[in-house]
């Protein structure tokens, strides 16, 4: 099944509550997927690049990582450790070098961007959200996922959201049937997925289209032509938030919009406690129709 | 009037109370507050009671209903009034996928839009949708009436049996073996009655009727291309 939630704020006053609202939405969707959970959150726009990394042995792996990376890159690196994840802030222009270094040291990169941070682990949403203190996080928008594994193993790397480009992420409910073929095509284009997970292929697809100059709407439109299978995708970019369902549309989706926010949930339950939901415009997104908002 | 608050009463308790009402109960009016999209609200009822759900419901609201009138003041999730036998279910807002699926009797009224697969495999239920319906609606529908005041999505009535489909707006496409049929006086009568019972402001003459071409009832090699 899987449960997806997303919240894109229009009212700046709600920013401090983003993590709190997303956490409640995600916990409500627990029974749609108890295998793993994750969120991507777009916080304050930093002038420096942030890379979120993960390790199963954080005490050991993260000890002195900032210093070692700083020496390797020849510039200041700061690090914020949150449970099994750490957010590294890098000097400008060092991303490729930093990724190579982290890869060599066996540190998993979950995502990178100037505003996006990403946290995901095996376990129930309430536990994952508590471990990463999601409730205390603020920001402009975020997406979350609680997974019932179908296409690949229950691992941290198999958890959603998947981030395959700076400040980009994607969550998925469904299963893709042409992901092996797409994986080959994307790999040739230089957007190789790192895992065997079908959702990462979709994330790489969006990244490849954005890199080719498509806007978010066009990239989402492309999934309808090029990806086969069942899907509801919710995508975050630095300034945007998008939703698309396949033409058969058997995976559920509900959206709500008020003057303050746009919200997405796999079920209405996820939206039921949002402020002002009683008077919100609530609708089911149409099949094969792209919805997106950008600020 | 009995009021049950779902923020303090467990769902099982609510459904047990409603299901325990007998044919001759004097507790005929029930109000359910704070549904917040919960699943399986007011399912399996079998008494002439009136239940009003104040808010929006999740999956399978009012499933398997007999005799009862269930009204939802918000929207309903997937599978509302699935396999209804008799009684009435009224949704003030929209309904999600497969509303009224496999229903064998009774009346389902959706005042907003219904999404895909509305009335799939319906077997005698009457469904009146004030707004639009989505794709694959009335797929393999066997009997009963589906009335749509708005538009219908792709593949309406695919592999249809004897159900009657009445659509006032546009039909995006017809499914296999579904064709437009003439409106005879008896159809105007059926439609007039249903529109009146559903509180719908529309004239029967504004609708087109669709039904089965009856080519797919039994396999016939000359029709192989239609499958």
């Amino acid at each position: 099944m899987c449960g997806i939630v997303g919240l894109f704020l229009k009212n700046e006053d709600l920013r401090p509550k983003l993590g709190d609202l997303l956490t409640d939405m995600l916990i409500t969707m627990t029974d749609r997927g108890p295998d793993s959970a994750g969120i991507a959150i777009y916080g304050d726009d930093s002038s420096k690049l942030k890379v979120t990394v993960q390790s199963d042995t954080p005490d050991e792996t993260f000890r002195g990582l900032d210093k070692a990376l700083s020496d390797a890159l020849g510039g200041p690196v700061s690090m914020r450790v949150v449970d099994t994840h750490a957010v590294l802030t890098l000097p400008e222009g060092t991303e490729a070098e930093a990724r190579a270094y982290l890869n060599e040291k066996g540190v998993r990169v979950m995502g990178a961007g100037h505003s996006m941070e990403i946290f995901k682990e095996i376990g129930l949403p309430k536990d994952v959200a508590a471990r990463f203190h999601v409730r205390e996080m603020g920001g402009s928008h975020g997406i979350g996922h609680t997974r019932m594994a179908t296409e690949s193993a229950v691992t941290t790397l198999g958890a959603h959201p998947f981030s395959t480009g700076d400040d980009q992420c994607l969550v998925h409910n469904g299963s893709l049937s042409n992901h092996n073929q797409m994986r080959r095509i994307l790999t040739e284009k230089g957007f190789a997925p790192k895992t065997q997970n079908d959702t990462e292929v979709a994330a790489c697809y969006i990244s490849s289209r954005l890199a080719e100059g498509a806007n978010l709407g066009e990239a989402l439109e492309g999934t309808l032509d090029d990806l086969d299978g069942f899907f509801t995708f919710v995508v975050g970019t630095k300034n945007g938030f998008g939703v698309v369902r396949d033409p058969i549309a058997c995976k559920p989706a509900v959206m709500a919009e008020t003057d303050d926010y746009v919200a997405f949930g796999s079920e209405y339950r996820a939206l039921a406690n949002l402020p002002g939901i009683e008077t919100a415009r609530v609708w089911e997104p149409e099949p094969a129709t792209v919805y997106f908002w950008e600020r | 009037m009995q009021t049950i608050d779902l923020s303090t009463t467990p769902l099982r308790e609510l459904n047990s109370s409603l299901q325990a009402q007998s044919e001759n109960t004097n507790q005929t009016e029930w109000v359910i507050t704070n549904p917040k999209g919960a699943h399986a609200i007011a399912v399996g009822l079998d008494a002439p009671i009136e239940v009003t759900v104040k808010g929006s419901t999740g999956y399978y609201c009012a499933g398997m209903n007999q005799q009862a009138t269930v009204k939802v003041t918000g929207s309903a999730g997937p599978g509302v009034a699935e396999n209804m036998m008799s009684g009435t279910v009224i949704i003030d807002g929209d309904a999600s996928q497969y509303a009224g699926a496999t229903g064998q009797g009774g009346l389902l009224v959706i005042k907003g839009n219904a999404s895909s697969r509305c009335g799939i495999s319906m077997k005698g239920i009457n469904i009146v949708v004030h707004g639009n319906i989505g794709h694959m609606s009335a797929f393999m529908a066997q009997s009963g009436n589906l009335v749509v005041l708005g538009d219908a999505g792709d593949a309406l009535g695919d592999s249809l049996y004897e159900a009657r489909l009445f659509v006032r707006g546009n039909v995006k496409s017809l499914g296999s073996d579904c064709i437009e049929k003439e409106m005879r006086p008896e159809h105007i009568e059926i439609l007039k009655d249903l529109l009146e019972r559903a509180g719908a402001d529309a004239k029967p003459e504004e609708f087109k009727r669709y039904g089965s071409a009856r080519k797919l009832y039994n396999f016939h090699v000359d029709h192989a291309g239609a499958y």
Side-chain angles (χ1 to χ4, degrees), chain A residues 1 31-32 245 247-253 266-270 272-273 282-284 286-287, chain B residues 35-39 55-59 75-76 78 94-98 115-117 134-135:
Chain A
M1 291 212 285
D31 52 14
R32 296 192 63 87
R245 297 169 87 196
I248 306 285
C250 34
K251 295 300 174 185
S266 291
E267 296 177 34
Y268 176 79
R269 282 189 297 159
N273 287 319
V282 177
W283 78 101
E284 185 172 316
E286 295 280 334
Chain B
K36 295 193 179 236
H39 299 169
S56 293
T57 62
Y59 284 65
S75 290
D94 297 338
S96 185
Q97 310 173 71
Y98 44 96
S115 79
S116 60
R117 307 172 188 93
H135 63 276

Side-chain angles (χ1 to χ4, degrees), chain A residues 169-182:
Chain A
C169 63
L170 176 147
V171 290
H172 170 209
N173 180 18
S175 56
L176 302 178
S177 48
N178 66 339
H179 62 101
N180 284 325
Q181 183 197 358
M182 279 310 297

Side-chain angles (χ1 to χ4, degrees), chain B residues 26 40 53 60 70 72 78 98 109 137 150 168 170 189 191-192 202 224:
Chain B
N26 63 343
V53 184
Y60 308 123
V70 179
V72 175
Y98 44 96
V109 180
S137 289
R168 184 166 68 161
N170 299 317
E189 281 310 302
L191 201 43
K192 190 166 168 255

Side-chain angles (χ1 to χ4, degrees), chain A residues 246-288:
Chain A
D246 70 80
I248 306 285
C250 34
K251 295 300 174 185
V254 183
M255 301 201 69
E257 186 169 13
T258 71
D259 289 343
D260 294 334
Y261 59 80
V262 178
F264 176 96
S266 291
E267 296 177 34
Y268 176 79
R269 282 189 297 159
L271 314 178
N273 287 319
L274 288 173
I277 192 72
E278 304 78 16
T279 51
R281 182 169 84 91
V282 177
W283 78 101
E284 185 172 316
E286 295 280 334

Side-chain angles (χ1 to χ4, degrees), chain B residues 34-168:
Chain B
N34 289 309
K36 295 193 179 236
H39 299 169
I41 292 175
V43 291
L45 307 189
D46 189 10
I49 57 174
E50 283 186 29
V51 180
T52 303
V53 184
K54 297 214 159 182
S56 293
T57 62
Y59 284 65
Y60 308 123
C61 176
M64 301 177 286
N65 187 55
Q66 298 194 88
Q67 303 191 65
T69 297
V70 179
K71 183 172 182 181
V72 175
T73 67
S75 290
V80 63
E82 195 168 83
N83 206 47
M84 177 153 74
M85 304 301 285
S86 65
T88 305
V89 175
I90 303 162
I91 310 301
D92 280 349
D94 297 338
S96 185
Q97 310 173 71
Y98 44 96
T102 76
Q104 306 203 26
L107 175 67
L108 168 62
V109 180
I110 297 159
K111 301 234 171 126
N113 301 313
S115 79
S116 60
R117 307 172 188 93
C118 180
I120 187 169
S121 197
M122 53 193 277
K123 298 182 175 79
I125 189 175
N126 291 313
I127 303 174
V128 180
V129 181
H130 289 222
N132 307 325
I133 59 171
H135 63 276
M136 292 303 280
S137 289
F139 173 58
M140 289 186 86
Q142 291 157 51
S143 70
N145 299 288
L146 171 62
V147 180
V148 184
L149 276 70
D151 301 332
D154 270 322
L156 177 72
D158 193 273
S159 304
L160 188 70
Y161 291 85
E162 290 306 292
R164 299 179 201 96
L165 317 180
F166 300 100
V167 183
R168 184 166 68 161

